[in-house]
Amino acid sequence: MAAKGFWKRHENLYFAVTNKKVIFGVVVFLAIVALAIFGPLFTPYGYEEFAGPGYRPPSKEHWFGTTIMGRDVFTQVVYGLRSTLLVGFLAGTIASAVGLVVGFVSGFFSGRAPDEGLMMLTNMFMVLPSLALLIILSAYLPYRGIVTQSLIVAATAWPWTARAVRSQTLSLKSQEFVNLSRISAAPVFRIIREDIAANMFSYVFMVYILQFNGTILSSVGLEFLGLGPTRGISLGLVMQNAVNWNALHLGMWWWTIIPGLILTLLIVSLYFINTGLDEVFNPRLREL
């Protein structure tokens, strides 16, 4: 009886832990995170250290093979995965935070000066060619670390979140419970936090997953173009080095395909989590 009462009170949690898409996505995502966290414990090499003869395919000594310069690909992948996940987390968090603040404030003050100013700024960033802007910003910075790259990627990732959250805020601000808070003279930001943002938790959570996913792809794209961090390693840099050394033409498939496969699994896992949660939070999709 106690268990039934718990699941009745936490209906969304029940549907989340029984949704096959969510389960698959979470399992794959956690496996990749575990690889990034614990992977370095299983390799005695540094990602720039000479590990043995080059051109070696996957084996017991080198699980993902070696590069043309004799570096261990497994070591580069696990350290690179750490950087890629960290950039996705930082950039996704920054882009989500900026987009949420702009969206909530603009939606609540719709038709007034704050809304017009914020939407003008949002529209300016939306019409800018994001890839070109990212390339220009990255190319002219003398030093690019993980934090710098995260800020660059986040700078062009927040506008769609702002517009989407503004649209949701416009629909919620006309509800009776929001009007009741206004009549009771509650502070504006308390209304936004407790009446609007709290009722958009599921939507905000899914927005963050999309931002995390999108910023990872953007950062990998920059790294693949040679505009990633000036020091360190990441999945994009691993694949860029493989392309620069013509790994596929030389038959070194493991240098390109394995990092690309791990990146693909990461993106697919986040897609499944987001799609599954959409079914969990939307009763009409859940019934289908």
Side-chain angles (χ1 to χ4, degrees), residues 24-39 81 85 262 265-266 269:
F24 173 79
V26 169
V27 168
V28 174
F29 178 75
L30 290 180
I32 293 174
V33 172
L35 178 64
I37 295 174
F38 301 109
L81 191 55
L85 288 171
I262 292 175
L265 288 174
L266 174 60
S269 69

Side-chain angles (χ1 to χ4, degrees), residues 12-247:
N12 286 337
L13 178 61
Y14 169 79
F15 284 105
V17 299
T18 56
N19 186 284
K20 294 180 180 179
K21 294 179 182 178
V22 174
I23 294 172
F24 173 79
V26 169
V27 168
V28 174
F29 178 75
L30 290 180
I32 293 174
V33 172
L35 178 64
I37 295 174
F38 301 109
L41 300 176
F42 297 95
T43 175
Y45 312 110
Y47 59 84
E48 291 185 337
E49 183 181 344
F50 178 77
Y55 294 95
R56 291 293 185 268
S59 62
K60 292 181 180 180
E61 292 78 19
H62 305 285
W63 294 350
F64 292 174
T66 60
T67 70
I68 198 171
M69 302 297 292
R71 296 189 177 97
D72 186 67
V73 176
F74 174 79
T75 304
Q76 291 194 333
V77 166
V78 293
Y79 279 102
L81 191 55
R82 284 183 168 187
S83 299
T84 298
L85 288 171
L86 183 56
V87 169
F89 171 75
L90 290 176
T93 300
I94 295 169
S96 297
V98 173
L100 289 173
V101 171
V102 171
F104 283 135
V105 174
S106 179
F108 190 83
F109 293 102
S110 60
R112 287 183 273 177
D115 176 40
E116 294 177 358
L118 290 173
M119 280 300 98
M120 182 176 66
L121 180 65
T122 302
N123 292 334
M124 287 173 55
F125 273 88
M126 288 198 74
V127 298
L128 287 174
S130 57
L131 181 58
L133 181 61
L134 291 173
I135 291 174
I136 293 170
L137 289 174
S138 298
Y140 281 91
L141 289 174
Y143 169 76
R144 298 185 301 275
I146 289 178
V147 175
T148 304
Q149 185 180 9
S150 300
L151 290 172
I152 292 172
V153 172
T156 60
W158 63 269
W160 72 264
T161 298
R163 292 189 67 88
V165 171
R166 178 181 182 274
S167 176
Q168 294 291 322
T169 303
L170 286 174
S171 64
L172 280 174
K173 66 176 288 189
S174 60
Q175 299 296 318
E176 291 184 3
F177 58 88
V178 176
N179 291 328
L180 185 61
S181 295
R182 284 175 168 176
I183 294 173
S184 62
V188 170
F189 290 102
R190 180 181 174 183
I191 297 175
I192 294 176
R193 184 181 70 250
E194 297 182 3
D195 292 336
I196 297 177
N199 283 283
M200 288 174 56
F201 173 77
S202 61
Y203 184 79
V204 169
F205 186 69
M206 293 172 64
V207 162
Y208 178 75
I209 294 175
L210 289 174
Q211 283 286 13
F212 185 78
N213 201 345
T215 50
I216 285 178
L217 287 174
S218 296
S219 64
V220 169
L222 284 178
E223 293 156 4
F224 197 75
L225 294 173
L227 298 171
T230 50
R231 288 183 290 187
I233 192 70
S234 66
L235 284 183
L237 290 175
V238 173
M239 291 187 289
Q240 185 216 13
N241 290 332
V243 171
N244 288 342
W245 286 97
N246 295 317

Side-chain angles (χ1 to χ4, degrees), residues 241-255:
N241 290 332
V243 171
N244 288 342
W245 286 97
N246 295 317
L248 286 178
H249 294 288
L250 295 173
M252 302 173 67
W253 56 267
W254 56 88
W255 193 1

